[in-house]
Amino acid sequence: MKHWAALLFGILPLAGGAAPLDAAVSKSYFANWRGQPYYCPNGNCLAHGRRDIAQADRASFRPVSEMYALDRHRVYYEGREVHGADPRTWTVQGRWHGRDHQHLYIR
């Protein structure tokens, strides 16, 4: 009961007590106690839900902007894979835009 009261009054963080992977870059990408990354918009999983990123490579996963993250195999937007994107040449072009050596991706 104490924890629900704390949540209601904003005492506990809503992302399950986890800190963002890199708060300077994104406040929406976290890792669970096993190190598995997940996406939780602005740390508010209660209101917006949580998207586990099961296929992510834990060792190389990192956020590159508020919305985008990548690992050595894939690029992710809001926790979903950006199919066909090359993480080795990926650059963020804006909040909803990114590009690799071949394509421009718009949300």
Side-chain angles (χ1 to χ4, degrees), residues 65-79:
S65 75
E66 186 63 40
M67 306 298 222
Y68 286 102
L70 53 85
D71 64 21
R72 66 180 169 185
H73 302 291
R74 298 171 190 86
V75 176
Y76 305 92
Y77 177 78
E78 294 185 340

Side-chain angles (χ1 to χ4, degrees), residues 29 53 55 61-62 64 67-92 98-100 105:
Y29 283 99
I53 309 170
Q55 73 274 27
F61 187 89
R62 65 187 173 89
V64 291
M67 306 298 222
Y68 286 102
L70 53 85
D71 64 21
R72 66 180 169 185
H73 302 291
R74 298 171 190 86
V75 176
Y76 305 92
Y77 177 78
E78 294 185 340
R80 291 187 182 111
E81 182 179 353
V82 178
H83 295 284
D86 180 11
R88 292 171 307 204
T89 60
W90 184 261
T91 58
V92 176
R99 74 173 310 126
D100 63 12
Y105 296 85

Side-chain angles (χ1 to χ4, degrees), residues 4-25:
W4 283 105
L7 269 174
L8 288 174
F9 295 109
I11 297 168
L12 294 177
L14 295 177
L21 289 172
D22 187 346
V25 176

